[in-house]
Amino acid sequence: MAVSNNDMSRGFKPLNPSNDTVDVETLLHENIPLTGSIIANTYGTFPSESNIRYDANGLYIAVSDYPYASSSANHIFDMTAGWSADSTVATPSVELANKNNIYRLFDQQYVGYDAAQEVVPFNVSGNLNPPDTWLADDGEKVSGVVFIDFSRTLMKDEIKMGTFKIAIGTGSFDGPMDDGTKTFSDYHSNPTDGTTYKENSPMGTYSFLQLGTTATAAATPASALYGVVYHQAGLCALWATPSTWGTELTSGSDFSPSTAQSAEQAFVSSSINDIVNGARYHIDNIEFSNTTKLNSRVYFCRANHNEFNYSSNRTYTSGSQIVVKNQAADNPRTYVTSVGLYDDQNEMVAVGKLSEPLEKSPENELTLRVRLDF
């Protein structure tokens, strides 16, 4: 059986684009669990594990699921940290320019600009015109942010809304899990309920992270007290506050200065590498479902009762007789084994094989569904 845009006189049946084809999008999901043992302390001694690659300029670290020099390694995410140059909370004394530039880089991409074309800082309400107050003073704007940017290998086309969660230890740096963990999630978000997520970001939809994994719409947080997750972009932004990281983000046993520091203190006086290492050491696990968008075109190849009842196969006749007939007066019949799709130049572009032959005669009609994924 062959179908084409040409006429039946050439042995092809034309397809009607309005009736015989339809475009379909299928969403495939895969659960992705990332345990803290992969993120820290598995492939060597913290903070110099062989699956952690440090940027030569100290701007970020890249985390792999295996020693990164190995051909078996898969890059899973990058981590970095930024501080707003406009913050009135404090001014970093270490790597000031780098922290400000990183914050602004993510800021302009993920939050955007206001009506005056000024970059809007990250803020707890997701507004493009937030009040000029800062979170450390119980205000709106967020001074410091830890960014976890997931690789496309891991998240595919996007993070499935309502599946993201991250558990963070709230104890001291030497024992971040000793006092338990806090789990933040977007489980309240539902793609069919626009009140459970935000979509005013240049990078697509995002959800406020809530404390816990309540999945009811009634539990939708009114503000992002801990951070946000951007679904299409695959970015998790976590605020640099004790509410998110506990009372101690970095420690003098591994970092300078020589005293333990809260998240805000670390952003002021520690390097980006030290801040990020402190953050990843506190992560107990991350879990979400990724999304692969599979685009397909479905062709309905129809053989009416008076079509495709004869075959040009040399074995179809013997001595000028149709061999599948028992009696000369019987109707002709064929057995369809494949469907070929041709372009307007009669060039075959695709072929579909049937699992078993289908009998075709003037007494029946067939509709074969051919699906092309791309």
Side-chain angles (χ1 to χ4, degrees):
M1 179 177 178
V3 291
S4 166
N5 291 326
N6 295 309
D7 56 51
M8 285 292 291
S9 64
R10 301 281 310 266
F12 303 97
K13 181 175 182 179
L15 288 168
N16 185 332
S18 61
N19 295 326
D20 296 334
T21 65
V22 62
D23 292 327
V24 179
E25 182 182 82
T26 304
L27 302 181
L28 305 177
H29 304 292
E30 177 186 15
N31 186 56
I32 304 296
L34 299 174
T35 64
S37 60
I38 294 177
I39 301 170
N41 264 336
T42 291
Y43 298 104
T45 304
F46 178 85
S48 302
E49 304 97 318
S50 57
N51 68 318
I52 305 299
R53 180 171 58 84
Y54 289 88
D55 171 59
N57 297 309
L59 299 179
Y60 70 93
I61 66 168
V63 181
S64 299
D65 61 353
Y66 202 67
Y68 66 84
S70 169
S71 60
S72 302
N74 294 298
H75 174 222
I76 54 178
F77 61 77
D78 295 325
M79 291 185 68
T80 189
W83 184 270
S84 174
D86 299 323
S87 174
T88 60
V89 176
T91 299
S93 58
V94 177
E95 298 183 2
L96 171 62
N98 287 342
K99 291 174 182 175
N100 291 165
N101 289 338
I102 288 172
Y103 187 100
R104 184 176 178 83
L105 171 67
F106 283 94
D107 200 10
Q108 60 188 358
Q109 290 182 342
Y110 289 84
V111 183
Y113 296 80
D114 60 19
Q117 294 304 302
E118 296 291 336
V119 179
V120 181
F122 288 93
N123 60 87
V124 300
S125 298
N127 292 331
L128 294 182
N129 188 28
D132 192 19
T133 55
W134 294 87
L135 182 57
D137 301 319
D138 295 324
E140 289 277 315
K141 298 178 180 179
V142 180
S143 299
V145 185
V146 173
F147 300 101
I148 305 176
D149 192 4
F150 296 98
S151 73
R152 287 291 171 182
T153 302
L154 205 67
M155 58 163 285
K156 305 301 183 183
D157 290 317
E158 64 180 68
I159 293 173
K160 182 182 178 182
M161 186 183 296
T163 68
F164 184 88
K165 70 176 181 179
I166 180 170
I168 295 175
T170 58
S172 66
F173 181 82
D174 290 333
M177 312 305 167
D178 290 350
D179 292 339
T181 61
K182 288 183 177 180
T183 298
F184 307 112
S185 77
D186 76 335
Y187 280 22
H188 58 280
S189 296
N190 185 334
T192 63
D193 184 352
T195 66
T196 62
Y197 62 90
K198 303 276 283 185
E199 50 185 347
N200 61 344
S201 167
M203 302 300 285
T205 63
Y206 64 97
S207 295
F208 297 156
L209 292 178
Q210 67 167 348
L211 180 62
T213 55
T214 302
T216 61
T220 302
S223 59
L225 298 180
Y226 312 103
V228 295
V229 57
Y230 295 86
H231 305 109
Q232 288 77 33
L235 179 81
C236 177
L238 297 167
W239 310 154
T241 63
S243 297
T244 303
W245 299 102
T247 57
E248 184 179 322
L249 182 64
T250 62
S251 170
S253 61
D254 289 284
F255 306 112
S256 60
S258 59
T259 56
Q261 296 180 307
S262 68
E264 293 102 326
Q265 292 170 337
F267 269 76
V268 171
S269 57
S270 292
S271 68
I272 292 173
N273 280 346
D274 286 352
I275 294 168
V276 171
N277 278 326
R280 72 180 175 91
Y281 198 49
H282 278 72
I283 296 175
D284 186 41
N285 65 71
I286 302 173
E287 186 174 344
F288 61 86
S289 292
N290 64 20
T291 301
T292 300
K293 294 182 179 179
L294 186 64
N295 294 299
S296 308
R297 176 162 291 175
V298 178
Y299 298 87
F300 295 94
C301 304
R302 311 178 198 277
N304 296 324
H305 73 282
N306 58 344
E307 297 172 334
F308 301 103
N309 296 319
Y310 295 87
S311 174
S312 60
N313 193 303
R314 289 178 297 176
T315 64
Y316 187 64
T317 60
S318 177
S320 299
Q321 298 293 320
I322 300 176
V323 298
V324 294
K325 286 187 176 185
N326 295 321
Q327 302 292 331
D330 289 344
N331 282 327
R333 66 187 65 240
T334 58
Y335 291 89
V336 181
T337 60
S338 61
V339 179
L341 299 179
Y342 292 76
D343 62 17
D344 55 5
Q345 301 298 317
N346 294 340
E347 298 289 339
M348 179 178 283
V349 294
V351 62
K353 295 291 186 180
L354 278 64
S355 59
E356 60 181 31
L358 296 179
E359 182 181 321
K360 178 69 184 70
S361 75
E363 299 173 356
N364 70 342
E365 295 183 345
L366 297 178
T367 298
L368 302 179
R369 184 176 180 272
V370 181
R371 172 172 168 163
L372 295 182
D373 297 331
F374 52 90

